[in-house]
Amino acid sequence: MSDTVLLAGTRKGLFIGRSDAERASWTWDKPLFPMEEVYSAAIDTRGGATRLLAGATSPHWGPQVFRSDDLGRTWEETKGGAVRFPEDTGAALERVWQLRPAPDGQDDVVYAGTEPSALFRSTDRGETFEIVRSLWDHPHRPNWQPGGGGQAIHTVLPHPSDADIVTVAMSTGGVYRTEDSGETWTPYNRGIGAEFIPGETPEYGQCVHKVAIDAGDPDRMYAQNHGGVFRSDDAGRSWQSIAEGLPADFGFPIVAHPHRPGTVFVFPLVADIERFPPSGKPAVWRSDDAGETWHETGPGLPAEAHTAVLRDAFVSDQADPLGLYLGTRHGAIWASNDEGGTWAEIRSNLPDVLCVRAAVI
């Protein structure tokens, strides 16, 4: 029988939930990495051998990437740190914001996005990483500025079939893309607003909160911005607003259905100065036509919860029907095992949830 594993990284450790393939009832392990901030996690199922990864930051020992090959029962770390900045950069790792295994066919490759904004690449499934120097040395880097959470690469999107192509997003800085295995990087932000920067919309500097790739067309991408929800049909070279029909256009996560082209989910908040769901009622909104129209998903979320969901705390698994999972700033995890038709709270009373990952194994 298949098992479902859910990783919830929080402000005070990692919590692991377990269920069967139906994802209706859950058991939870004791907390791991207590008092450490877990901003990133990954479940790597390539090659039939599952590896869990967690990016944790200890207030005493600093940041580290941990790995588990027994579904979270034991963990290992790399001596001296898996992610380290070269000495000549003059930089030190503050935290790992993103851990992203490459698609099948890119054996053992894992990417890490960090604060300060840098991209690292591993060829041993996350045991050691090397900085992608071309992005660190990009002439725009001195002008990238911290967002509210820090100056970090929080989104890494390897192309599903072309290993030469990787898209990243950062706050602030915007979307950048390489199509030559990281030799060069080009900002792809045309059409995305940056209301906090006076004058004309700049080439880069946008505060993009999250980017997702459509299931049917890797050149179709979706972005949740600091203000606005956008779609690109040309691999990010240009963007258009798809916020019409939503109750608000601010938010952090955006999730593309992994199997159904044109289907995308968001969790709207009122605005940057009011980070609550509209009218205090949390809701996931869904589009099945690439953002042309939107509708609220099914019942089961609380009637009132003045909370927020961060950029990596809303994810899907790969099952059919799709499972959806949200972790909130007030320590709840809400889940749907029917693609948003209904919702249920599967965990409460956690610390502030920073990231969630789930997979049916």
Side-chain angles (χ1 to χ4, degrees):
M1 179 179 292
S2 299
D3 294 321
T4 302
V5 176
L6 185 150
L7 309 181
T10 78
R11 195 77 68 181
K12 295 181 180 180
L14 178 70
F15 294 77
I16 299 181
R18 304 179 191 274
S19 184
D20 60 18
E22 297 301 318
R23 300 156 294 172
S25 60
W26 294 80
T27 61
W28 294 86
D29 297 355
K30 66 179 181 180
L32 299 162
F33 316 121
M35 302 307 295
E36 298 191 29
E37 295 182 333
V38 181
Y39 269 79
S40 56
I43 303 174
D44 185 356
T45 59
R46 294 172 299 175
T50 300
R51 170 168 285 185
L52 309 183
L53 297 168
T57 302
S58 163
H60 182 71
W61 300 109
Q64 174 63 287
V65 175
F66 296 87
R67 61 188 183 275
S68 172
D69 292 327
D70 57 7
L71 296 181
R73 292 172 177 85
T74 61
W75 294 79
E76 297 180 73
E77 60 183 298
T78 300
K79 186 177 180 180
V83 178
R84 290 178 288 183
F85 278 87
E87 289 186 10
D88 68 300
T89 64
L93 179 66
E94 294 186 41
R95 59 174 55 95
V96 177
W97 279 76
Q98 179 89 148
L99 289 164
R100 182 66 180 249
D104 290 336
Q106 300 180 42
D107 294 345
D108 297 335
V109 173
V110 177
Y111 290 96
T114 70
E115 178 186 352
S117 284
L119 179 66
F120 287 77
R121 186 174 185 268
S122 169
T123 57
D124 54 16
R125 297 191 77 193
E127 296 184 25
T128 61
F129 290 82
E130 291 188 6
I131 193 171
V132 177
R133 195 67 191 237
S134 56
L135 186 55
W136 179 258
D137 291 337
H138 198 287
H140 293 173
R141 185 176 65 81
N143 298 320
W144 297 339
Q145 299 295 321
Q151 202 255 302
I153 289 180
H154 51 64
T155 299
V156 183
L157 296 171
H159 192 279
S161 60
D162 189 337
D164 290 338
I165 300 175
V166 180
T167 301
V168 302
M170 68 187 81
S171 298
T172 61
V175 177
Y176 282 75
R177 181 178 175 97
T178 181
E179 297 182 347
D180 53 15
S181 295
E183 292 293 322
T184 60
W185 294 84
T186 304
Y188 277 2
N189 300 290
R190 184 161 59 90
I192 296 179
E195 296 81 1
F196 49 87
I197 300 177
E200 295 183 4
T201 301
E203 180 186 22
Y204 63 94
Q206 284 81 353
C207 188
V208 176
H209 284 177
K210 200 67 184 173
V211 181
I213 296 177
D214 187 80
D217 181 359
D219 285 345
R220 172 168 281 179
M221 308 176 79
Y222 307 97
Q224 172 67 68
N225 196 44
H226 187 87
V229 183
F230 298 89
R231 187 186 76 224
S232 173
D233 296 322
D234 54 10
R237 292 172 177 83
S238 63
W239 298 83
Q240 65 185 60
S241 175
I242 55 170
E244 185 175 356
L246 289 170
D249 67 0
F250 185 84
F252 289 98
I254 191 161
V255 175
H257 197 297
H259 313 306
R260 194 185 305 278
T263 297
V264 61
F265 304 87
V266 294
F267 186 86
L269 303 176
V270 175
D272 56 353
I273 59 172
E274 189 177 339
R275 299 183 182 196
F276 301 141
S279 303
K281 181 184 182 300
V284 173
W285 285 70
R286 171 175 175 158
S287 174
D288 291 308
D289 52 15
E292 295 296 324
T293 61
W294 295 90
H295 63 273
E296 186 177 340
T297 60
L301 296 178
E304 181 180 9
H306 288 80
T307 191
V309 175
L310 297 180
R311 69 183 89 247
D312 273 321
F314 182 11
V315 298
S316 73
D317 56 31
Q318 295 282 329
D320 185 14
L322 191 70
L324 296 167
Y325 310 88
L326 299 95
T328 73
R329 294 296 303 268
H330 75 286
I333 297 179
W334 302 324
S336 171
N337 61 3
D338 57 5
E339 308 205 355
T342 58
W343 294 88
E345 185 173 85
I346 63 170
R347 184 64 201 253
S348 60
N349 300 321
L350 293 176
D352 185 357
V353 179
L354 305 174
C355 69
V356 176
R357 290 292 180 266
V360 178
I361 298 170

